[in-house]
Amino acid sequence: MAKIALCLTGADLDENRRYLNRYQDHIDLAELRVDCLHRSKLSGLSKGTLSEFIGDSPVPLILTIRRSVDGGHWDGCESERLILMEKLIPLGFAYADLEDDLGPEAAGAEKAARDGKVRIIRSLHDFRGIPEDLVERMKKNGRDGALPKAAVTLTHSREIIPFLEAARELEGQEKILLAMGERGFFSRIMAERLGSFLTFTSPAEGQKGAAGQIDPVTLEGLYRFRKVTASDPLYGIIGNPVIQSRSPELHNRWLDQRKLPGVYIPFLLDGVDHFDRLDQLLDIRGLSVTIPFKEAILPFIDKISPGVRSIGACNTYYKREGRVLGENSDALGFLYPLLDRWGIPRDTEKPLRGVKCSLIGAGGASRGVLFALVSSGARVLVLNRTLGKARTLAGEFGAEAAPLSSESRELIKEYSRLIVQTTSLGMAPMEERDPLEFYDFNGKEFLYDIIYKPVETVLMKRAARAGCGVLGGWEMLREQGKVQFELFTGMPVPTEKP
Ligand code: NAP
């Protein structure tokens, strides 16, 4: 099983000791990043304080003095760095990181490592991309019992393909392999599947060892790092942006509660032109698809549901008996919390028959919502800043359209049993914005704002103050996730609240 290494990036040993104490139950190794230590602390290192630190460490330590060219903080001269390496290696480290481009100048450090039976990690860092000769270099870097390490950069998500192919070619060779940055976020979680000896993590509260690192508790808890084997099912979410998505929290917790194997990981993509090969290499069991790929994913699906056909967008990609199926769980995810709140059984035919509803917004999310409302029997007025978009959308679903402005006030009153808010006004960074500021609630409306961050928008607060029933978007997010989870795994979500 791949190990979890904690990067110790504190400015002094006391700070690093605190990180070790805090995370010791979650890690197997730690990397002392001497280049992150304050310069004033360096001269005293070889005089007992460091030996004591190493002796007290609950886990074996890697010694690293990372050069600035490799993303580190070492700003001294190279000869000074190598002399310091040579001096520190014998103090009790288990591993010493030496870059693969070092020549005879590193002989002293290499000898110190050999003499002290300290294993060398022969590392390469590439911030411009993936070196063409990555596989050959990794094989070469494994000479004399060294552990080869490559930290590469994916400048476009299509480079995930050569990265995964390199991992395949290196199968069976002991190595550390990772991709830095948000596009490489998945590689931190998939270390076991990549055949990487370890994955690097950073303290949640401190400086990151490198871009894209996660803290050990999140990796072990949320991403089930120690529970997932290389052959367990892989689920995930593709989008851009996607790393901040709350979906991994939901899906991984449900997998855990159901005691099902597998993990759900965010993949930041720049496009889906390379998606076929990506799926082939990753053998994805199920994917949530978010902005901006809900339409672009359609050509990769063998069979779409009637909902996807009407909405024109797919947010759920899953497989059954070798076929790829596409569903849109946004519509049901939107509808179910509303029916539950109104006490209407979910299996009711046309559960919103006769309900007059104002739908604020005509963007991507509005399509699924409008489909759900209209197919449930509601009569809908679509209001949008750009009236043309409201008209087009309303026209497709047999609804009415009006501008999102005070001139529609009376019309909204007519369509006010249910008001559904689907614009991004009220969501960060526009938390203070109220898309209906020209409209006064009379307390009889029910307001459903599909924004889930913040949990309560200014509009929801205003409606609640006027005595209206109010529902936020978190329930919708969770509910659409539940529909996906069931399609992915064939099992319903556990009943207790996540
Ligand atoms: P989108 O496609 O970009 O649409 C944005 C909508 O907001 C459009 O109707 C746009 O009007 C309107 N808008 C943006 N800025 C505005 C402004 N300054 N004044 C007036 N209207 C403005 O986005 P989306 O994907 O539909 O997402 C919209 C919201 O739904 C987001 O807050 C998202 O988090 C939320 N959402 C929630 C869930 C959930 O599960 N709870 C799921 C999906 C989306 P124009 O057409 O005039 O530009």
Side-chain angles (χ1 to χ4, degrees), residues 126-127 152-160 163 178-190 208 210-214 223 237-245 248 265-270 278 291 293:
D126 197 324
F127 288 89
V152 298
T153 306
L154 309 176
T155 56
H156 187 282
S157 61
R158 73 170 70 89
E159 287 170 359
I160 298 175
F163 177 76
L178 58 99
M180 296 179 282
E182 289 203 337
R183 289 190 187 89
F185 186 79
F186 72 91
S187 71
R188 310 272 179 191
I189 301 162
M190 283 181 34
K208 284 214 183 321
Q213 285 183 2
I214 315 170
Y223 289 109
I237 176 164
I238 57 168
N240 192 341
V242 76
I243 302 300
Q244 311 313 329
S245 164
I265 299 178
F267 291 91
L268 177 69
L269 300 189
D270 299 287
L278 186 67
I291 295 165
F293 304 126

Side-chain angles (χ1 to χ4, degrees), residues 30 247 262 347 351 421:
S247 295
D347 57 359
Q421 194 309 108

Side-chain angles (χ1 to χ4, degrees), residues 291 362-365 384-386 389 422-425 427 450-451 473 477:
I291 295 165
N384 196 43
R385 174 179 64 177
T386 311
K389 276 169 73 181
T422 67
T423 75
S424 35
L425 292 192
M427 184 184 81
I450 71 162
I451 288 176
L477 180 75

